[in-house]
Amino acid sequence: MATGERFGYLADGMRTIAIISSKGGSGKTTLTLHLALAAFAEGARVVIADVDGQRSVGQSLRARQSPGPGLVETTVGKLFTLRVTAEREGCDYVFIDTPNAPDRDLVTAIGVADLCVLVGRPTFFDITAAARAAAAVRRLGKPGLIVLNQAPPKRMGVESSAVSRAAEALRLTGLPLAPYGLRSRTVYQLCVAHGLSAAEYQAAGAGAAEVGLLWRHVRDLAAALPVAGPARAARAADAS
Ligand SMILES: Nc1ncnc2c1ncn2[C@@H]1O[C@H](COP(=O)(O)OP(=O)(O)O)[C@@H](O)[C@H]1O
Ligand SMILES: [Mg+2]
């Protein structure tokens, strides 16, 4: 059965989503795991390609007691081949967890991706790193989205000045800022130790809710993108 027949929104093939920041600790692995686990929970066929030598995704997923996304621990040089193989095998999503450096690895990962999700905390260093990554994404002509991570919670419904300033600065990158981000929450530190998402760890929690909103936004954005893959080529051939 074709991917699109099962999920509708993926009518023209697999999507490859790279999670990017050249700054360590910005939340790449946390976000990769959460997006991948959210897609998996919907019934999608998901592979995480971990090209970071720290292998943090595996450290988390190996603690998981139930089925989960596939994991390939690899190098950026093998990403193109992995993408082709994953699509041929009927995969719906490949999520790439990227390392902090070097920049040429970042460029390769961006080149493989259909969508680049940049992640950063509302801090000076993370915003500078996000701006650099955004410039690379734009130079390569790839669609991108910035997700704010570890934002402090709102106080009496009001966003902190750090978040407002970060949002303003990130708008200058020319890439859209996701309408939903991940707040600073202990649940994100606890759940990954069990290979679980915040939603699986604490279904009624605020983390589960915000990740759900973010995933739906990313999913719909990715689904609307034109992709060039074997499934799309096959569809085009069927239609002609
Ligand atoms: N939204 C969040 N709230 C609380 N802690 C977080 C959040 N996002 C990430 N962390 C913690 O910050 C640290 C770095 O996150 P990680 O995802 O490993 O970043 P990166 O992969 O970019 O180096 C980890 O200890 C992680 O648990
Ligand atoms: Mg990481």
Side-chain angles (χ1 to χ4, degrees), residues 24-30 149-150 182-185 188-189:
S26 56
K28 293 180 292 296
T29 301
T30 303
N149 183 37
Q150 280 193 265
L182 272 51
R183 301 270 170 190
S184 183
R185 299 186 196 282
Y188 293 119
Q189 295 167 8

Side-chain angles (χ1 to χ4, degrees), residues 19-46:
I19 320 302
I20 286 165
S21 161
S22 45
K23 189 82 187 69
S26 56
K28 293 180 292 296
T29 301
T30 303
L31 189 58
T32 302
L33 279 165
H34 276 84
L35 295 179
L37 287 164
F40 182 81
E42 285 186 344
R45 293 185 204 169
V46 180

Side-chain angles (χ1 to χ4, degrees), residues 24-25 27-30 32 50 52 54-57 97-100:
K28 293 180 292 296
T29 301
T30 303
T32 302
D50 186 0
D52 184 357
Q54 293 192 4
R55 304 298 188 216
S56 303
V57 174
D97 187 20
T98 63
N100 308 323

Side-chain angles (χ1 to χ4, degrees), residues 128-140:
T128 310
R132 257 200 12 245
V137 169
R138 294 186 68 195
R139 215 170 31 246
L140 291 168

Side-chain angles (χ1 to χ4, degrees), residues 99-155:
N100 308 323
D103 277 3
R104 67 170 184 280
D105 284 358
L106 199 68
V107 167
T108 308
I110 294 169
V112 175
D114 300 307
L115 175 66
C116 298
V117 177
L118 280 59
V119 58
R121 294 160 295 195
T123 65
F124 174 74
F125 291 130
D126 275 28
I127 290 165
T128 310
R132 257 200 12 245
V137 169
R138 294 186 68 195
R139 215 170 31 246
L140 291 168
K142 292 288 176 157
L145 175 74
I146 304 180
V147 173
L148 211 50
N149 183 37
Q150 280 193 265
K154 284 184 181 175
R155 282 213 183 151

Side-chain angles (χ1 to χ4, degrees), residues 53-69:
Q54 293 192 4
R55 304 298 188 216
S56 303
V57 174
Q59 285 163 22
S60 176
L61 286 184
R62 272 189 278 281
R64 192 174 168 85
Q65 301 291 317
S66 54

